């Protein structure tokens, strides 16, 4: 008999994208300078440097209508990556014309473009629900948004971009993957 793994239960992660201040406040409360924001009628692009041990640059598209945030991490040399696009499922709302508040709903999608998509962290969602950190309606919405994205990505050749094009959303990404120079 195998023993079930224990999931660490934590409150939903909250993040802020402040276009006017050109900052991104991460879930731990660290305020990061943003190199570029681009507002589209359907979402918000963010590109910023990172001091993470594994990656040096983070690009994200926040897509409030779909309750998704798609990110590309530009990894440091020698760091192995499984996915090329990481998708968070959550609630992303415009608090003002220049501020988005994101609340993570635990579920994530790992996309390998042209190959597959994997739904992960279902155990975290269930643990959060059991701990009353998300109510049933929030959990149901998270599952519906995640499965709609999985279905859409799979139906379009495992391409997030091709699926989003059917929603009149065109993602553009930073092309230079070189490690950052001096800041």
């Amino acid at each position: 008999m195998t023993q079930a793994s224990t999931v660490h239960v934590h409150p939903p992660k909250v993040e802020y994208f402040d276009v006017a201040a050109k900052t991104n406040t991460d879930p731990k409360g660290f305020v990061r300078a943003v190199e570029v924001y681009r507002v589209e009628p359907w979402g918000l692009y963010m590109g910023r440097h990172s001091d993470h041990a594994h990656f040096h640059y983070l690009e994200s598209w926040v897509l409030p209508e779909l309750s998704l945030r798609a990110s590309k991490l530009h990894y440091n040399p020698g760091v192995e990556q499984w996915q090329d696009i990481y998708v968070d499922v959550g609630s992303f709302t415009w608090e003002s014309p220049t501020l988005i508040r994101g609340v993570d709903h635990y579920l994530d999608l790992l996309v390998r473009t042209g190959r597959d998509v994997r739904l992960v962290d279902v155990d975290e969602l269930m643990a959060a629900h059991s701990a009353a950190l998300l109510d049933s309606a929030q959990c149901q919405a998270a599952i519906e948004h995640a499965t709609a994205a999985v279905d859409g990505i799979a139906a379009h050749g495992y391409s997030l971009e091709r699926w989003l094009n059917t929603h009149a959303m065109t993602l553009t990404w930073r092309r230079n993957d070189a490690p950052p120079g001096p800041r």
Side-chain angles (χ1 to χ4, degrees):
M1 184 158 108
T2 61
Q3 185 175 0
S5 64
T6 305
V7 175
H8 171 70
V9 181
H10 58 81
K13 296 175 181 174
V14 178
E15 190 165 5
Y16 293 92
F17 304 88
D18 190 332
V19 177
K22 287 191 82 169
T23 61
N24 170 223
T25 305
D26 74 13
K28 294 180 181 173
F30 293 109
V31 179
R32 314 277 186 190
V34 171
E35 184 177 39
V36 61
Y37 271 125
R38 187 168 56 249
V39 179
E40 297 289 344
W42 43 264
L44 175 68
Y45 170 83
M46 177 192 74
R48 69 169 175 82
H49 292 279
S50 173
D51 58 0
H52 194 277
H54 294 175
F55 59 93
H56 58 85
Y57 201 83
L58 168 67
E59 294 183 88
S60 290
W61 276 100
V62 180
L63 309 169
E65 179 183 322
L66 299 176
S67 298
L68 302 174
R69 173 187 178 185
S71 297
K72 280 193 177 187
L73 309 173
H74 294 266
Y75 289 91
N76 293 323
V79 175
E80 197 173 324
Q81 68 178 17
W82 189 86
Q83 78 286 337
D84 58 309
I85 302 175
Y86 188 95
V87 181
D88 294 289
V89 177
S91 170
F92 301 95
T93 54
W94 286 98
E95 300 286 305
S96 78
T98 62
L99 180 70
I100 288 183
R101 179 177 185 259
V103 180
D104 185 63
H105 286 172
Y106 303 91
L107 297 178
D108 300 305
L109 306 177
L110 308 178
V111 180
R112 292 193 299 183
T113 302
R115 296 171 63 188
D116 55 28
V117 59
R118 181 182 298 175
L119 173 64
V120 297
D121 298 332
V122 174
D123 56 342
E124 288 185 26
L125 177 69
M126 296 296 98
H129 183 259
S130 293
L133 295 171
L134 288 181
D135 63 29
S136 294
Q138 291 169 310
C139 290
Q140 180 174 340
I143 292 166
E144 289 173 355
H145 295 300
T147 55
V150 167
D151 287 350
I153 293 165
H156 290 85
Y158 295 104
S159 171
L160 173 72
E161 287 90 348
R162 284 189 8 212
W163 171 58
L164 291 176
N165 283 338
T166 68
H167 290 276
M169 298 176 182
T170 301
L171 305 189
T172 54
W173 302 98
R174 178 177 180 254
R175 298 293 180 214
N176 180 5
D177 222 8
R183 290 185 210 155

